[in-house]
Amino acid sequence: MRPTPYVASLRIYEPLSAFEPVDRIRWQNIDANIDSRKQEQALALRRLVFPEPPAVRPDGAHVLDINGIRYVSPWSTATRCWAALDDFKESLPSSITPFFIPPSLEEVITTGVDLLEDRVPHIITENWIIPPRWFSIFTPDERVRGEDDDGPYSFARTTMAKARERSLASHEIVLGAFGQGPVEQEIENMIDWLELFHPQSLVELDYGGLAAYLDASLRAAGLDGINEDSSIEDVAFSLSGLSAGDGSVAGQGYERLVSRWRGVQAFESAI
C-alpha cells in the first residue's frame, strides 16, 4: 500500500541554499534514496498513539537531487497540524469539537504555535480529490506514471517559473469568464502561496494513494487504468474553451474531469 492512501499532495521543493544554515546542515545529509513518504506517514501514525507537540520535534523533509542541486520540501508538520486543527474546529459548532479533540490534546497540538506562526507549509494536501487548479499548473509531458511495489503512482513536476506563469494565466481566464468568486479566489490563493517561495523552486503534484483508487476506477470502466488518466489535458481543454468564450468546449473538459474523479470519491463512501 502506498503511503497516504487517500491523500494527494502539492509540494514545493526549494533549493537547499534557500534555507537557514542549521536546516541546510541537517538536510544535506539526508539520503535521497530513502522513501521519505513512508517515514512521514510512520511519524504521523506514531503521533496518533503517542501525542506530542509537533513544534518541539525536529521535522523531516522530502529531498530531490537533480543536476547536482539538492531541493528540499520540509514536511512542515507543525504548521499543517495547526491548520488542520483550525479547519476542523471551523467545520463544527464549538460546543461539539471537545468531544472529538479534548482540550488536553489540543494543548499538545498547539504547543509552540507562537514560535512558528509565520511559517508557511511547503506541502498542501487534499483528501479523495485533486482540485482542478492543481492540474492547471502542469503539462502532460511533465507527468510520470506507472506501477511499483506499492502499486500505481502518478506525479507531475515543473519549475516555479512555469507554475506561476500558468496559474496567472488560469486566473485571468477564470476571472474573465466568471468574474470574482470562490473559484477565482482559490486560484488567487494558490498564486499567493507559490509566490512565497524561492523562484528556482520546483513544484510537484503527487497523487499519493489516490493513484490506486483512480487506477481501479478506470479499469472498472474498461480502460487501461492510470495510463488513461487525462486530468491535466481535461483542465487545459476546459480553460481553452473558457478563453475562447466557448462554453460547450469548457463544459466538455470539466465534465470529463469530474466524471473521472467521481469514481475515486465513490471509494470514500464505500469505506
Side-chain angles (χ1 to χ4, degrees):
M1 173 67 71
R2 190 166 301 283
T4 61
Y6 51 84
V7 179
S9 302
L10 191 64
R11 302 186 183 99
I12 305 296
Y13 287 84
E14 290 193 280
L16 182 63
S17 59
F19 294 92
E20 296 295 328
V22 64
D23 290 326
R24 275 184 247 160
I25 293 173
R26 181 154 52 97
W27 290 331
Q28 70 184 5
N29 294 319
I30 293 179
D31 185 351
N33 296 315
I34 293 177
D35 192 339
S36 55
R37 292 165 179 79
K38 290 184 178 179
Q39 289 184 325
E40 182 183 20
Q41 178 168 275
L43 178 59
L45 292 174
R46 172 185 168 81
R47 282 175 167 152
L48 285 175
V49 180
F50 305 106
E52 61 180 358
V56 304
R57 183 189 181 100
D59 217 1
H62 305 299
V63 299
L64 297 171
D65 289 331
I66 300 176
N67 297 327
I69 301 175
R70 169 152 290 198
Y71 297 88
V72 181
S73 179
W75 295 345
S76 308
T77 304
T79 305
R80 291 161 62 193
C81 282
W82 297 326
L85 176 62
D86 286 342
D87 289 344
F88 181 77
K89 291 174 66 175
E90 290 177 1
S91 69
L92 295 172
S94 58
S95 58
I96 295 178
T97 53
F99 291 101
F100 294 93
I101 303 179
S104 58
L105 178 58
E106 182 173 349
E107 182 179 355
V108 170
I109 295 173
T110 56
T111 296
V113 65
D114 55 326
L115 301 176
L116 298 174
E117 59 184 7
D118 60 339
R119 292 289 181 91
V120 178
H122 285 67
I123 305 171
I124 54 178
T125 59
E126 289 285 348
N127 298 338
W128 293 111
I129 191 68
I130 297 179
R133 61 186 179 277
W134 289 13
F135 293 117
S136 72
I137 59 181
F138 302 95
T139 56
D141 61 293
E142 295 167 340
R143 178 177 53 210
V144 177
R145 55 195 175 188
E147 187 167 348
D148 58 20
D149 292 341
D150 291 320
Y153 64 84
S154 182
F155 67 88
R157 191 179 297 146
T158 192
T159 64
M160 178 61 76
K162 291 178 180 178
R164 290 175 179 173
E165 179 183 0
R166 293 165 185 166
S167 58
L168 285 169
S170 299
H171 182 262
E172 183 177 349
I173 290 171
V174 171
L175 184 62
F178 302 116
Q180 294 182 332
V183 177
E184 169 269 332
Q185 185 61 56
E186 288 175 342
I187 300 175
E188 183 174 328
N189 291 342
M190 182 177 70
I191 293 171
D192 292 341
W193 179 65
L194 292 172
E195 290 179 343
L196 294 171
F197 300 99
H198 193 283
Q200 299 302 314
S201 299
L202 301 176
V203 185
E204 179 185 80
L205 166 59
D206 183 356
Y207 281 37
L210 295 188
Y213 292 109
L214 180 59
D215 183 80
S217 175
L218 293 174
R219 291 188 185 281
L223 302 174
D224 186 22
I226 195 73
N227 292 319
E228 293 202 41
D229 170 40
S230 60
S231 297
I232 293 175
E233 293 91 336
D234 292 339
V235 169
F237 189 76
S238 184
L239 287 171
S240 70
L242 290 178
S243 180
D246 190 330
S248 177
V249 169
Q252 290 174 31
Y254 184 72
E255 179 57 30
R256 285 199 299 268
L257 179 76
V258 171
S259 296
R260 182 179 306 108
W261 286 93
R262 189 179 293 126
V264 174
Q265 290 180 297
F267 284 102
E268 179 184 12
S269 301
I271 293 179

